[in-house]
Amino acid sequence: MRKFNLKYFTGSAVVLIILLLTACEYKLPESIWNEDENGAETPVILQVEPAAEAFAGASKIKITGTNFSDSPSDNVVYFDNIMGSIIFSSSSEIIVKPPFDEELLKDSLTITISVKRSYLPARYFPYKLKTTNILFGNFDGFAEQIFSIAVDKDENVYTMIKGRKVYKLDSEGNRDESWGTTTFPKASCMKFGPGGFLYLQKSNNQSIYRIPEQGGETEKWVTLSAKVRFFDFDQNDNLYTGGTLSGLFVVFPDGSFKKLDLYEEYDIKAVRVYSGYVYILADYKGADSGVPKTGIWKNQILDNKGNLSQMQLVKDWSLTGDFSSSNPFDLTFSENGDMYIGTDYIDPVLIVRQKGTMEPLYP
């Protein structure tokens, strides 16, 4: 019988245990915590402009404070839990555009600023984000194509619709689809004027029509000696109108008219009366190289007989920066005299301030 060597077994067991203990040894990684690192100073929000509310996806919000980073990538601005787009940053100022998200269109949200290497954020509460536009009237974009819009003294809205109809909408968007009808398919312009009538310009035509205040069918009011497209009324109830190479006409409240010796070589795209002047948006079609190809001109209203001063250039369209490559289509004025110009640019509305500065409506 083979003898069992206890001494040999004991030695082997000891070696095996040592190997097992060595193999199971767990080495911790080197600690990344630096007990001497205090982090960056905590950011502080001192002021937000505008202070209470802004437009989601459109407004530029200026945040003034301390301990921000000069590098935009080191700052993060949240509106609740959704990140905004930082346009500019310094140690004391951040300009940010809030995101557009339906979840944020509410009366109370929190602006939070986190800065790289800072352990704590800065917060501003409450804040409100609004939408830049709302759906009004619920029109079918194909079956109810809109050609022109007007507003009466009570702020009811009137729309000329495909199908020779004029709808009336109250302030809530409720529609009276039987308010008016036209004898022609399209109106290029319509406005309320003398006698409470709704005046309509048959598109690229010599005739101007009108509908009584209570509604009904169009009646022909005046027929001019040239085709026109756009018009507006002055404080004397005189109507100024023009079209492509038509020159400018003035139509008096009794329906009589005269042609003015103005804008003979222009394609008139909009007519607007403001503060004693007739403003004309037009393309110049003449041969004078000194005249802007596209621009806005104005003429002072001299009396109640429709006499106007000579043309004064207000804005050369080639000098509108990024907008100069776009086509302007219409213009209007705010109560404080700022001019709003509708275009086909990616930011479609250009504001020209009274002092001459320019900016998009929603940059």
Side-chain angles (χ1 to χ4, degrees):
M1 176 181 293
R2 188 175 179 180
K3 293 182 179 180
F4 181 75
N5 191 332
L6 180 61
K7 182 177 180 181
Y8 174 80
F9 174 78
T10 302
S12 299
V14 171
V15 172
L16 179 61
I17 291 171
I18 292 173
L19 290 174
L20 288 172
L21 290 174
T22 303
C24 293
E25 183 179 356
Y26 181 74
K27 293 184 178 180
L28 293 173
E30 185 178 347
S31 175
I32 61 173
W33 173 255
N34 183 353
E35 61 183 13
D36 297 324
E37 173 61 54
N38 295 319
E41 294 290 335
T42 300
V44 177
I45 297 174
L46 299 176
Q47 186 177 19
V48 176
E49 300 177 62
E53 59 185 28
F55 289 108
S59 295
K60 292 179 181 178
I61 299 174
K62 178 181 176 181
I63 303 173
T64 304
T66 59
N67 303 327
F68 304 150
S69 174
D70 291 329
S71 174
S73 61
D74 289 345
N75 302 301
V76 181
V77 181
Y78 290 97
F79 294 81
D80 277 355
N81 61 341
I82 301 178
M83 190 184 304
S85 300
I86 294 178
I87 300 169
F88 168 83
S89 73
S90 70
S91 61
S92 59
E93 181 181 303
I94 293 176
I95 298 177
V96 61
K97 180 182 287 188
F100 182 85
D101 191 295
E102 291 187 358
E103 293 182 8
L104 299 179
L105 301 179
K106 55 186 179 181
D107 292 335
S108 181
L109 57 81
T110 301
I111 298 176
T112 302
I113 298 179
S114 295
V115 180
K116 186 177 181 180
R117 295 184 60 250
S118 178
Y119 298 147
L120 297 175
R123 290 188 172 90
Y124 185 90
F125 176 87
Y127 204 75
K128 178 180 180 179
L129 289 180
K130 305 179 295 182
T131 183
T132 56
N133 53 71
I134 59 173
L135 183 64
F136 183 78
N138 195 27
F139 291 94
D140 183 312
F142 177 76
E144 297 179 315
Q145 184 179 358
I146 299 173
F147 296 128
S148 50
I149 299 174
V151 181
D152 68 15
K153 64 182 187 309
D154 298 318
E155 298 190 357
N156 296 306
V157 177
Y158 298 77
T159 58
M160 167 70 183
I161 299 292
K162 178 181 179 181
R164 306 189 180 205
K165 298 179 180 179
V166 178
Y167 292 175
K168 177 181 178 180
L169 295 86
D170 63 20
S171 59
E172 301 298 322
N174 301 310
R175 308 194 301 189
D176 179 357
E177 298 182 4
S178 62
W179 184 84
T181 58
T182 68
T183 55
F184 49 88
K186 183 178 180 180
S188 55
C189 182
M190 64 184 196
K191 289 183 173 69
F192 278 89
F197 286 90
L198 176 63
Y199 292 78
L200 303 92
Q201 171 61 59
K202 183 178 179 180
S203 184
N204 196 31
N205 192 269
Q206 295 170 254
S207 297
I208 300 174
Y209 294 74
R210 62 185 186 179
I211 299 176
E213 188 174 13
Q214 67 273 17
E217 188 176 75
T218 51
E219 59 182 38
K220 186 181 292 186
W221 178 51
V222 63
T223 298
L224 304 174
S225 57
K227 294 179 180 180
V228 293
R229 291 184 296 170
F230 305 104
F231 65 84
D232 201 5
F233 292 95
D234 70 4
Q235 66 272 21
N236 304 304
D237 288 337
N238 295 328
L239 179 151
Y240 297 89
T241 184
T244 302
L245 304 178
S246 66
L248 193 65
F249 290 84
V250 57
V251 184
F252 302 103
D254 63 1
S256 61
F257 65 90
K258 69 177 180 180
K259 187 175 182 180
L260 304 173
D261 187 22
L262 294 165
Y263 300 98
E264 297 284 347
E265 298 181 305
Y266 292 77
D267 179 3
I268 295 175
K269 303 167 76 173
V271 179
R272 189 70 64 193
V273 174
Y274 177 76
S275 190
Y277 285 84
V278 178
Y279 287 79
I280 303 292
L281 168 63
D283 293 334
Y284 175 61
K285 300 298 184 181
D288 188 343
S289 60
V291 178
K293 291 298 182 183
T294 300
I296 298 170
W297 290 262
K298 69 177 182 179
N299 305 77
Q300 186 176 8
I301 300 171
L302 301 177
D303 52 39
N304 62 1
K305 298 179 181 179
N307 294 310
L308 302 178
S309 69
Q310 291 302 305
M311 298 164 55
Q312 303 174 49
L313 180 64
V314 176
K315 180 59 63 177
D316 180 343
W317 196 249
S318 68
L319 303 179
T320 56
D322 293 340
F323 280 84
S324 63
S325 61
S326 68
N327 296 306
F329 294 113
D330 203 356
L331 66 88
T332 191
F333 289 87
S334 66
E335 291 182 354
N336 63 4
D338 292 336
M339 186 188 305
Y340 289 70
I341 306 166
T343 76
D344 60 3
Y345 187 58
I346 188 172
D347 294 315
V349 180
L350 173 66
I351 304 175
V352 180
R353 304 292 185 189
Q354 282 192 305
K355 295 181 179 180
T357 58
M358 299 178 294
E359 61 184 273
L361 175 59
Y362 298 123

